Amino acid sequence: MQNPIAPLLDSANRIILGKQHQIRLALCCLLARGHLLIEDIPGVGKTTLAHTLAKLLGLNYQRIQFTSDILPSDIIGASIFDPEDRSFKFHPGPIFNQMILADEINRSTPKAQSALLEAMEEQQVTVEGKTYRLPSPFFVIATQNPAHQIGTFPLPESQLDRFLMRIELGYPDRNAERELLSGQSRYHLIENLKTELPPEPLKNIQQQVNTVHVSSALLDYMQNIITFTREFPDYPCGLSPRAGLSLLNAAKAWAFMDSRDAVLPEDVQAVLPAVAGHRLRSASQDSAAVVAPILERVNVL
Amino acid sequence: MPVDIEKNILLFLLISVGLIALPHIYHIPASTFGFFALLLAWRFIGIWKPSCLPGKFLLFLLTVGGLVLLYSQHQGLFGRDAGTRLFMTALALKLLEIKQERDLYLIVFLAFIVAASQFLYEQSIAMAGYILFVCCVLLGTLVAINSRRQNTLNALKTAAVILAQALPLAIVLFVFFPRVEAPRWMLFEDKSRAKTGLSDSMEPGSISDLSFSDELVFRVRFQGQIPPNRLRYWRGPVFSVTDGKRWTAAKHYTYTAAAEPDFSEPAYRYTLLLEPQNNNWVFALEMAGDYPPQLRMNSEYLLTRSGNPDKRAEYPITSYPSYRTGTLEAHKLRTNTQLPGPTSQKITSLVKRLGGFDKRPEQFVDRVLQHFNQENFSYTLTPPLMENNPIETFLFETRSGFCSHYAAAFTYLMRVANIPARVVTGYHGGVLNPVGNFLEIRQADAHAWTEVWLKNRGWVRVDPTAAVAPERIEQNVNIEQQIASRNISFFSADSDLARQLDWLKQARQLWSSVDYNWQRWVINYHSANQTQFLASLGIESLKQMLFWLIGLGALFTAILSWLLLSRKEKTADKVLRCYRRFCARLGKAGLKRKAGEGPIDFAKRSKEAYPDQAAAIDEITGLFIKLRYQKESSQADLNRLSERVDRLKIRRR
């Protein structure tokens, strides 16, 4: 089977300019069956990224704009009385889509946030005693304004842990910006994108990611990293076992995207800022700086 | 709850326990050793048939049985023998009670104690080597218990390495640690073991028991000249009192000090290394002039030592073969002419015929020797039995015997002629070990001769055996004995067999030499020797020595910790070792791998630095990744990696 990853990345890179690494991470997160949190100021292309990925993967896409007055039922859906049937009928909310863009998630109240996060974790919602399965694949890209902006409810650490990765997009560089300004409208481009990786092959790939080999030497390195985060005095708390599993899955996906059948230390290092940054210090925006001591001090061999 | 202990570990343990107990077979009564062997065999069977191992009740009975067995032999647990046997019994019983890993450790430690107890019985170099080997096997057992993956050979190898590393420390401790003399009670039961050796009385025929004994009595190393064989008389106990059959020492004045004889040159200086003895006699070359102050000389010119004759001791002595003793006091004259009752007619007429009553004593001595030589007297180590009146029977009927017969008869004849005479026992000759250049005197060299007191010369040694079998005295050849012990060769000297025997002889001499040095430097290294040796290093007191010990310890620790800390952590992973070698090569050229740098990143950086080696670096990195991180790799990959790393040539920037 030809690797469909490369054309997919190519197409995405043509829409979002100069952000190859972030796009790669976002796709990696998706292949590892994790959810993605993008933290950045408005207008740097968070929505465009989510929209592009949904289009390329041929997924149903729904955007939920979180506001301070949004309610859980606005996300999950509600039972409404049907006068003809004389019964309550469940009307699914926007969450019943394969790809959700939860925009500005930290503008809403904790109650609405937790409704989404629970759905993310369990891949199902329960309304009035009845359980409804969410579609598969199910992928949430949440965006978040920097915590210092006015009118935000920052996500607590426990909920940040549910996101496999947190990435920052940042401003485009000068060339990319020039191209953006002089080029076609992004919206138009997205509309014309064709699906590169439909859901069925995507599932296949997700399964293949699981079979990527992890040697005991690599597990040693991973455990050294985890132990280091637990002992290093600058981190308020170390990586949890779930975080360790997340790191391993992300590294596997990263290795797979590099067409390798075994995880290398470099794979772990590549995904480490995105996977560990928000878990180790939620307030910091610079994940690379947060994990720098790990990359520098934990011996690979 | 019983833990499943692997079969091969149990097997390993039982074999090592068996090896340890094996030499004890010589010191332990058959019943105790049988008990031990029985339980060991039981345990062996238990490896394959765990159901036949004893239950709690049976084990209790066995314990009681073992203790009763011990108690019936010793009535207590004090002393060396009882203690050793107690440990053996406990070890055997514990073998049947292996339930957890802890029990294995306990057994191993018990076995170490049993191994050490071996040295209470035997301290030869061969035994030391054997115990060292056994300790290696025991350590191997410990290694095997702790790392179940290792196979037996690897465990033994590790144990040998550990042992080799421990040896220098053991040597330092041996030399410097204050020597503690074993308390006497530990040696109490040693008395029960009869040692061969000269006894404090003599009957004609008694020495022949020793004639075939190869046991070493003492060794002598001369400074300078070695005296010829005819002068090598090593003086032992002197017997002046006889009842016609038995000769004993004159007890009442044995320990009065001797009047020193006049000595004349030449002098022989030597060191005497005495093996453990039953009596405290020191067999000096006749006649000892200078000797260390811890020795005393009695009035019969026999050197004795105070203290424990069970221990090896070394004495520097100077002897003068030509000497002249003084006058004879009246009571000594009486003792040395004493006869048991009236002399028989036959003997009186013989003495008369030989001129005992009218000639000068010197002439009479010569004529008696001539009589022995010319009449039909013969030398044999297996003379017929002489029950009653042995001297008369010997002189007139059997006429065959060995040194003690001749010495006794000669002395008797002298006394009949009223010449003071006495029997001297001791050793004669000794074999020179050309490798170590020392004489070895064995029990087979035991001898008896006569001393006659002559008016102007004092006590003079006369060896009547020399008149009968001069070869025994001149060349130290003891024909009968050699035939009996099959040392003599009936082949011509240049035949192959003779040459081989010669080889054998040389090997034996070499071994004796090694053993001599072992005895001298290791076994005999007691507190006095230690003090002397340390004094030669400039260490005068215990305090100073403690400083030395602490100082040496600190020095060793410092050196070792420096070595350990400065060395990169070593790993058992061969792949990693190869890769580290690769990193070290680049590191030497100035390109150090950072701790957090993965192999690919490092390869990228090194390729930038050494574009000419890009292919080699890529291959090494690829192989390393394959071996370390990928699912499948082969030994061939490792070999290739190792070879590529060796072939890599990096020029210093």
Side-chain angles (χ1 to χ4, degrees):
Chain A
M1 188 179 107
Q2 213 200 334
N3 195 340
I5 305 291
L8 199 155
L9 287 174
D10 266 358
S11 303
N13 283 334
R14 257 180 272 127
I15 308 287
I16 304 125
L17 302 167
K19 297 289 168 205
Q20 282 94 334
H21 189 64
Q22 283 85 343
I23 292 169
R24 210 182 163 86
L25 278 172
L27 187 63
C28 169
C29 182
L30 203 142
L31 294 183
R33 302 171 203 240
H35 304 289
L36 179 67
L37 178 65
I38 306 177
E39 181 170 296
D40 223 322
I41 50 167
V44 288
K46 292 174 292 201
T47 318
T48 315
L49 174 63
H51 203 164
T52 307
L53 281 176
K55 195 80 186 162
L56 286 169
L57 295 167
L59 302 174
N60 306 327
Y61 167 73
Q62 181 67 53
R63 172 179 170 163
I64 309 171
Q65 179 65 51
F66 278 56
T67 55
S68 54
D69 57 355
I70 197 169
L71 294 172
S73 57
D74 294 338
I75 302 164
I76 292 167
S79 295
I80 292 164
F81 186 72
D82 187 343
E84 281 174 28
D85 279 8
R86 297 180 154 267
S87 65
F88 281 94
K89 203 174 173 186
F90 180 65
H91 286 251
I95 201 167
F96 286 86
N97 277 293
Q98 286 168 314
M99 181 175 276
I100 310 291
L101 174 64
D103 220 354
E104 301 192 306
I105 190 170
N106 59 345
R107 284 223 184 277
S108 74
T109 54
K111 197 174 180 180
Q113 287 172 1
S114 62
L116 172 74
L117 293 164
E118 272 169 43
M120 278 163 53
E121 185 63 21
E122 275 139 42
Q123 298 259 335
Q124 62 185 28
V125 288
T126 305
V127 180
E128 289 168 9
K130 274 187 95 176
T131 301
Y132 303 91
R133 281 212 67 80
L134 292 172
S136 171
F138 178 69
F139 186 43
V140 174
I141 298 178
T143 71
Q144 179 169 238
N145 291 322
H148 56 77
Q149 290 209 340
I150 298 164
T152 57
F153 293 92
L155 290 173
E157 277 93 348
S158 61
Q159 304 215 333
L160 278 176
D161 204 27
R162 306 246 164 108
F163 289 97
L164 177 62
M165 289 187 187
R166 181 185 72 174
I167 59 176
E168 299 96 31
L169 282 177
Y171 298 117
D173 61 21
R174 198 175 169 83
N175 289 341
E177 185 123 37
R178 181 63 167 249
E179 209 178 316
L180 181 72
L181 292 173
S182 61
Q184 277 187 334
S185 128
R186 297 294 117 179
Y187 182 76
H188 194 67
L189 284 173
I190 291 170
E191 283 304 301
N192 291 338
L193 278 177
K194 66 177 197 315
T195 303
E196 297 277 357
L197 188 61
E200 271 315 305
L202 176 65
K203 265 191 193 164
N204 253 335
I205 287 180
Q206 285 179 335
Q207 245 139 45
Q208 285 178 43
V209 164
N210 271 345
T211 63
V212 171
H213 179 69
V214 181
S215 68
S216 67
L218 189 102
L219 288 180
D220 284 344
Y221 177 52
M222 290 238 343
Q223 283 194 297
N224 289 346
I225 289 178
I226 293 167
T227 314
F228 179 82
T229 63
R230 292 172 188 170
E231 286 166 359
F232 193 57
D234 282 6
Y235 298 140
C237 58
L239 291 177
S240 64
R242 178 162 62 190
L245 282 171
S246 305
L247 181 60
L248 183 61
N249 284 335
K252 279 177 168 180
W254 192 265
F256 179 84
M257 288 168 71
D258 265 356
S259 319
R260 265 184 280 107
D261 58 357
V263 183
L264 297 188
E266 277 84 354
D267 299 325
V268 179
Q269 294 179 344
V271 298
L272 189 69
V275 175
H278 61 295
R279 289 177 161 104
L280 289 173
R281 208 176 298 143
S282 52
S284 167
Q285 241 188 305
D286 191 356
S287 295
V290 172
V291 298
I294 302 177
L295 295 181
E296 201 175 301
R297 293 196 205 177
V298 180
N299 199 342
V300 175
L301 298 182
Chain B
M1 223 198 79
V3 177
D4 194 30
I5 290 163
E6 277 179 42
K7 249 180 213 170
N8 60 347
I9 287 179
L10 271 181
L11 210 59
F12 203 170
L13 181 75
L14 292 186
I15 288 173
S16 53
V17 166
L19 281 176
I20 279 156
L22 200 60
H24 276 294
I25 202 165
Y26 290 112
H27 329 296
I28 282 189
S31 56
T32 311
F33 199 82
F35 184 74
F36 180 84
L38 181 80
L39 297 198
L40 186 65
W42 195 342
R43 182 62 243 198
F44 253 112
I45 295 165
I47 294 180
W48 291 280
K49 281 188 185 169
S51 55
C52 74
L53 286 176
K56 262 186 194 161
F57 183 67
L58 192 52
L59 200 60
F60 175 73
L61 284 187
L62 280 172
T63 310
V64 172
L67 288 179
V68 166
L69 197 65
L70 267 184
Y71 196 76
S72 68
Q73 286 163 356
H74 298 286
Q75 279 84 41
L77 297 173
F78 264 124
R80 183 190 65 173
D81 289 351
T84 310
R85 287 163 208 177
L86 176 69
F87 273 118
M88 293 274 292
T89 312
L91 180 61
L93 287 166
K94 190 70 202 165
L95 277 179
L96 291 180
E97 204 202 31
I98 301 176
K99 292 209 169 76
Q100 297 172 8
E101 208 168 275
R102 196 180 70 96
D103 297 326
L104 293 181
Y105 291 120
L106 195 70
I107 286 172
V108 171
F109 296 137
L110 258 178
F112 270 120
I113 294 175
V114 171
S117 71
Q118 188 62 46
F119 285 124
L120 296 178
Y121 293 94
E122 201 179 332
Q123 302 160 344
S124 71
I125 192 164
M127 184 52 75
Y130 181 78
I131 296 292
L132 208 62
F133 160 73
V134 161
C135 283
C136 185
V137 178
L138 263 184
L139 266 182
T141 314
L142 273 182
V143 172
I145 293 170
N146 276 302
S147 54
R148 276 149 202 263
R149 274 175 302 170
Q150 288 215 0
N151 63 24
T152 316
L153 201 66
N154 274 345
L156 277 179
K157 251 187 221 163
T158 314
V161 169
I162 293 172
L163 216 59
Q165 285 166 339
L167 269 182
L169 186 67
I171 290 170
V172 168
L173 283 180
F174 178 80
V175 173
F176 289 101
F177 198 80
R179 309 294 294 176
V180 183
E181 301 291 309
R184 272 192 83 90
W185 61 264
M186 283 182 71
L187 301 158
F188 272 178
E189 279 166 297
D190 209 20
K191 299 273 187 230
S192 62
R193 202 182 116 216
K195 270 200 230 70
T196 53
L198 294 179
S199 66
D200 51 5
S201 68
M202 186 192 87
E203 274 178 64
S206 66
I207 282 179
S208 77
D209 299 342
L210 300 175
S211 294
F212 298 112
S213 164
D214 211 17
E215 197 184 310
L216 194 69
V217 188
F218 56 96
R219 300 178 172 101
V220 186
R221 183 193 286 278
F222 284 92
Q223 281 103 52
Q225 276 239 304
I226 298 179
N229 204 46
R230 69 187 158 80
L231 293 181
R232 286 187 220 145
Y233 284 86
W234 310 96
R235 195 179 178 93
V238 177
F239 303 123
S240 346
V241 182
T242 179
D243 59 358
K245 204 171 168 186
R246 210 172 128 85
W247 293 77
T248 49
K251 281 213 167 61
H252 59 282
Y253 65 97
T254 298
Y255 287 103
T256 50
E260 193 168 84
D262 296 330
F263 295 114
S264 47
E265 294 294 316
Y268 292 102
R269 283 181 190 79
Y270 55 90
T271 328
L272 193 105
L273 178 68
L274 211 54
E275 295 292 301
Q277 307 282 328
N278 282 334
N279 292 294
N280 52 0
W281 305 316
V282 176
F283 304 100
L285 187 71
E286 287 189 332
M287 191 58 91
D290 299 315
Y291 42 87
Q294 69 260 40
L295 296 182
R296 285 199 312 168
M297 185 177 268
N298 68 16
S299 61
E300 287 161 339
Y301 308 109
L302 170 62
L303 284 180
T304 56
R305 55 173 164 169
S306 49
N308 192 352
D310 275 339
K311 273 173 37 192
R312 277 185 192 77
E314 199 178 51
Y315 304 107
I317 299 175
T318 307
S319 287
Y320 303 86
S322 42
Y323 54 91
R324 188 183 288 264
T325 61
T327 52
L328 201 64
E329 296 129 56
H331 69 276
K332 285 193 182 177
L333 180 73
R334 262 200 313 281
T335 318
N336 285 307
T337 50
Q338 167 261 350
L339 284 171
T343 320
S344 74
Q345 191 58 44
K346 251 177 162 177
I347 292 180
T348 318
S349 63
L350 175 70
V351 172
K352 199 170 183 180
R353 190 154 54 84
L354 294 174
F357 300 117
D358 44 10
K359 297 266 195 270
R360 293 209 341 263
E362 287 92 334
Q363 281 177 325
F364 178 60
V365 167
D366 284 346
R367 292 186 73 155
V368 172
L369 289 178
Q370 262 174 34
H371 174 74
F372 281 157
N373 187 284
Q374 280 156 15
E375 295 291 319
N376 193 21
F377 281 91
S378 66
Y379 181 86
T380 172
L381 281 175
T382 48
L385 212 59
M386 289 163 255
E387 293 255 302
N388 303 315
N389 233 342
I391 289 176
E392 207 177 311
T393 319
F394 169 72
L395 279 174
F396 301 106
E397 286 167 35
T398 64
R399 291 198 165 184
S400 61
F402 51 92
C403 56
S404 54
H405 297 91
Y406 286 98
F410 187 83
T411 310
Y412 192 88
L413 291 179
M414 288 298 128
R415 286 187 179 187
V416 171
N418 211 24
I419 302 168
R422 60 193 184 187
V423 175
V424 183
T425 57
Y427 296 88
H428 173 257
V431 179
L432 181 73
N433 184 322
V435 184
N437 198 34
F438 53 81
L439 280 178
E440 290 171 318
I441 288 91
R442 298 175 183 281
Q443 292 293 9
D445 296 318
H447 192 47
W449 58 94
T450 307
E451 260 183 340
V452 182
W453 191 83
L454 301 175
K455 209 172 220 163
N456 296 322
R457 297 170 56 188
W459 286 107
V460 175
R461 180 179 66 231
V462 179
D463 190 350
T465 315
V468 186
E471 67 280 355
R472 190 181 191 308
I473 306 307
E474 296 293 333
Q475 289 141 31
N476 198 31
V477 174
N478 195 333
I479 307 265
E480 289 96 332
Q481 185 205 335
Q482 296 216 346
I483 291 171
S485 58
R486 300 204 180 106
N487 266 344
I488 208 153
S489 163
F490 294 103
F491 303 97
S492 59
D494 53 18
S495 76
D496 277 355
L497 193 67
R499 232 171 284 139
Q500 275 171 16
L501 285 173
D502 207 41
W503 261 98
L504 216 66
K505 200 172 140 195
Q506 278 180 8
R508 201 181 133 139
Q509 282 168 343
L510 184 71
W511 173 249
S512 302
S513 171
V514 170
D515 194 45
Y516 170 78
N517 285 305
W518 169 261
Q519 301 290 2
R520 201 173 159 189
W521 296 111
V522 179
I523 305 298
N524 200 32
Y525 187 72
H526 47 66
S527 58
N529 281 3
Q530 188 183 34
T531 317
Q532 206 181 343
F533 174 72
L534 294 180
S536 72
L537 289 181
I539 307 170
E540 302 287 347
S541 66
L542 195 71
K543 201 168 159 189
Q544 211 177 348
M545 195 188 65
L546 273 178
F547 285 144
W548 262 88
L549 272 183
I550 293 168
L552 276 178
L555 189 72
F556 265 101
T557 317
I559 291 172
L560 282 181
S561 39
W562 180 76
L563 279 177
L564 280 174
L565 290 176
S566 67
R567 200 170 55 173
K568 279 272 180 327
E569 53 176 320
K570 210 176 163 188
T571 167
D573 189 345
K574 284 184 183 136
V575 178
L576 200 51
R577 277 220 292 267
C578 279
Y579 190 71
R580 284 206 178 134
R581 221 160 66 224
F582 163 70
C583 294
R585 291 233 161 153
L586 288 167
K588 229 184 253 170
L591 192 72
K592 288 224 162 36
R593 191 185 69 83
K594 293 175 204 138
E597 198 168 19
I600 292 181
D601 292 343
F602 183 57
K604 204 186 282 171
R605 209 153 60 87
S606 38
K607 275 191 288 186
E608 275 163 20
Y610 302 101
D612 53 323
Q613 295 292 337
I617 291 170
D618 267 343
E619 189 175 6
I620 289 168
T621 308
L623 282 168
F624 172 66
I625 286 171
K626 184 173 180 199
L627 285 159
R628 189 167 166 83
Y629 296 110
Q630 287 188 349
K631 207 187 250 169
E632 276 156 17
S633 56
S634 62
Q635 180 67 33
D637 291 326
L638 177 57
N639 296 343
R640 229 172 68 226
L641 173 64
S642 179
E643 182 233 0
R644 290 291 186 278
V645 171
D646 287 340
R647 262 195 4 210
L648 183 71
K649 286 201 177 63
I650 298 288
R651 279 168 293 101
R652 191 178 277 277
R653 273 185 292 189

